[in-house]
Amino acid sequence: MKKLFVILLFFSTCLSSYAGNADKFSYNADELQNEFSDLQSLESMFIGNQNLTIADFEQMDIDWLNRIDLENMKCASPVQAMFGVDDMEWGAFAWGFCCSPIGFFLVAISDEKSNNEKLSYWIGVVISSLLGSIAAIANPTPGTSLYTGY
Amino acid sequence: MRIIQHFKFLLLTFVLASSALQIYAQTFSRIEADFSIKEKDIAGNKILTIGHVYFDKNIRKIVLDISFPNKIIIVASDSLVYIIKDDSLVNTSPATVPIDFTVYNLCLNNTLEFYGLKETPYKLEELEKDSDLIITTWDLPDDETAGKLMLSQKDKKLTGMINFDSEGIILSKYFFENYTNIDGVEFPAKMIQYMFVLDKKTIKVTTHRNIKINEMGNNYFYDYPVPSGR
């Protein structure tokens, strides 16, 4: 009886940990659909007539179009759209990017640093971590870092 | 007579074998497609980017011909990203992802299934099976600073990737969907990316349409010349 209990406990532990990992690979499709429904309409309209410019869209009075911040989109460079680097506090970013453990004390927990700087630090950490993985992949010697240009 | 029959059989075998080898050796070097990126950035701004992408793995440049919201060309190489507007170079910044690990290169090399990790120092640490998902965990041995990577596959296709930091906290999630087979290349036409920064997240949905493989036209765009700086 004791053995059976141990076996059942073992399997239930295995199953619960296994279900947890599968659960990580899910997202809320409805939330995503709602989040981008206006942009989806904008995309469809542009694909239907590629001569339209953002200025043309600004002059249109359509309900869903009014909910999109076209002015911001116009100013956002594609670099920002793709890499999110335009409004970066570069100093804080570099701390996060190059040496996150030191940066943590200098930027992340310092009261003197602005929210922008702290955010930039964390973006640096995230990108650094992503690049760290990729650098390790690209470089056969684990632990060596990718030249970042800073 | 028998010798002739043997000869015919040998000849037929040779022809069949050489055709099979030719098919096997067929290489995919180019991909181009229309794309759109719908993004919600960390400040909550929503941005739409529409354009056409060109990539030739031998030239090692990703060229984005963007038509919305602004007409602009982006050329990404292994080390730098160039922004070109009206035939003038307006910005140069460091590249964030090496060409080898872009989805375009991985698909052309047929290594997207394991995100190219099999050819790296990463080691397979764990394998789990769901009813339709296979989940693998990858780790870099002897490097405590690197976080783990978790991949999910369905029908031998990569469906998800999770990037952890060294403490096991999720930094980003990627989902690869709507696989399309174009001339033998399996390409995920829809990619969803979540990035988690502090208590906020960014979302990016990239979709591809009109995907073409080994297109021999448009040489100019595949090797887009970067103008000299200002």
Side-chain angles (χ1 to χ4, degrees):
Chain A
M1 189 65 188
K2 218 175 187 181
K3 271 184 183 172
L4 185 69
F5 178 73
V6 171
I7 289 168
L8 280 173
L9 191 72
F10 173 76
F11 275 111
S12 66
T13 313
C14 287
L15 280 173
S16 62
S17 67
Y18 150 79
N21 279 338
D23 214 37
K24 289 188 179 93
F25 288 96
S26 65
Y27 64 91
N28 190 332
D30 292 337
E31 182 199 50
L32 203 65
Q33 175 71 27
N34 291 336
E35 200 72 76
F36 292 124
S37 61
D38 295 337
L39 290 187
Q40 180 69 53
S41 304
L42 181 62
E43 180 190 7
S44 303
M45 196 179 247
F46 180 78
I47 289 170
N49 181 1
Q50 300 210 9
N51 291 322
L52 287 171
T53 64
I54 202 152
D56 296 325
F57 287 113
E58 279 177 322
Q59 287 173 0
M60 294 176 191
D61 187 19
I62 304 172
D63 195 32
W64 59 261
L65 199 51
N66 293 334
R67 290 197 294 266
I68 300 173
D69 188 354
L70 289 169
E71 188 61 33
N72 173 66
M73 201 184 291
K74 191 166 59 177
C75 298
S77 76
V79 188
Q80 187 182 13
M82 300 188 70
F83 303 107
V85 293
D86 253 15
D87 293 327
M88 199 73 77
E89 298 278 358
W90 285 98
F93 174 76
W95 276 116
F97 193 82
C98 302
C99 39
S100 51
I102 302 167
F104 180 75
F105 294 105
L106 284 176
V107 183
I109 60 171
S110 167
D111 290 337
E112 293 167 16
K113 300 294 177 186
S114 69
N115 277 343
N116 255 0
E117 284 176 304
K118 287 181 183 178
L119 266 184
S120 301
Y121 163 76
W122 280 108
I123 292 171
V125 171
V126 170
I127 293 177
S128 168
S129 167
L130 288 174
L131 278 180
S133 310
I134 293 161
I137 291 164
N139 197 322
T141 316
T144 51
S145 63
L146 189 73
Y147 170 67
T148 59
Y150 299 109
Chain B
M1 191 65 185
R2 258 193 169 178
I3 291 170
I4 292 170
Q5 270 182 339
H6 274 292
F7 180 72
K8 271 184 181 172
F9 176 73
L10 273 174
L11 189 68
L12 185 69
T13 312
F14 177 76
V15 169
L16 285 174
S18 63
S19 335
L21 276 173
Q22 257 186 338
I23 291 164
Y24 182 74
Q26 186 182 7
T27 54
F28 303 108
S29 59
R30 282 185 170 189
I31 184 166
E32 68 170 88
D34 293 325
F35 73 89
S36 66
I37 302 169
K38 297 180 203 72
E39 183 183 30
K40 186 182 178 188
D41 69 16
I42 201 151
N45 298 315
K46 291 179 184 174
I47 303 159
L48 172 68
T49 308
I50 299 174
H52 196 88
V53 57
Y54 302 87
F55 174 65
D56 185 321
K57 72 177 183 184
N58 299 314
I59 298 171
R60 297 184 68 78
K61 280 181 189 173
I62 294 175
V63 179
L64 306 173
D65 181 10
I66 291 170
S67 49
F68 186 89
N70 301 303
K71 286 193 186 301
I72 216 158
I73 304 261
I74 296 179
V75 180
S77 68
D78 273 310
S79 54
L80 292 169
V81 178
Y82 304 94
I83 315 295
I84 299 153
K85 191 174 184 183
D86 299 329
D87 296 326
S88 300
L89 181 64
V90 293
N91 191 290
T92 305
S93 53
T96 53
V97 179
I99 296 287
D100 283 341
F101 292 90
T102 60
V103 72
Y104 306 114
N105 192 62
L106 292 169
C107 282
L108 289 175
N109 289 330
N110 196 25
T111 51
L112 184 67
E113 184 185 349
F114 288 96
Y115 198 71
L117 293 180
K118 277 185 170 178
E119 291 79 35
T120 71
Y122 268 88
K123 296 283 175 233
L124 177 63
E125 191 185 66
E126 211 177 317
L127 188 146
E128 301 167 20
K129 276 187 183 176
D130 194 332
S131 53
D132 57 354
L133 272 190
I134 292 176
I135 298 168
T136 50
T137 306
W138 299 74
D139 197 13
L140 256 184
D142 308 323
D143 189 348
E144 289 175 2
T145 58
K148 292 179 182 179
L149 287 171
M150 205 178 261
L151 307 181
S152 71
Q153 283 128 350
K154 188 179 175 183
D155 300 331
K156 294 194 172 182
K157 292 183 188 104
L158 181 69
T159 56
M161 179 168 77
I162 301 177
N163 185 280
F164 297 87
D165 71 3
S166 55
E167 304 289 318
I169 294 165
I170 295 175
L171 299 173
S172 59
K173 286 186 181 187
Y174 298 82
F175 297 97
F176 305 86
E177 299 179 351
N178 298 2
Y179 274 88
T180 316
N181 188 306
I182 312 110
D183 303 331
V185 174
E186 291 283 353
F187 189 85
K190 185 176 182 184
M191 286 169 260
I192 300 161
Q193 177 196 326
Y194 288 91
M195 259 179 134
F196 303 94
V197 181
L198 293 175
D199 56 343
K200 293 181 172 154
K201 69 179 174 191
T202 67
I203 314 170
K204 192 186 286 184
V205 179
T206 307
T207 45
H208 290 84
R209 300 173 304 277
N210 304 324
I211 305 158
K212 292 174 188 168
I213 299 292
N214 282 358
E215 180 74 26
M216 283 302 121
N218 294 322
N219 284 338
Y220 179 76
F221 276 98
Y222 279 105
D223 193 7
Y224 196 88
V226 176
S228 53
R230 286 176 285 190

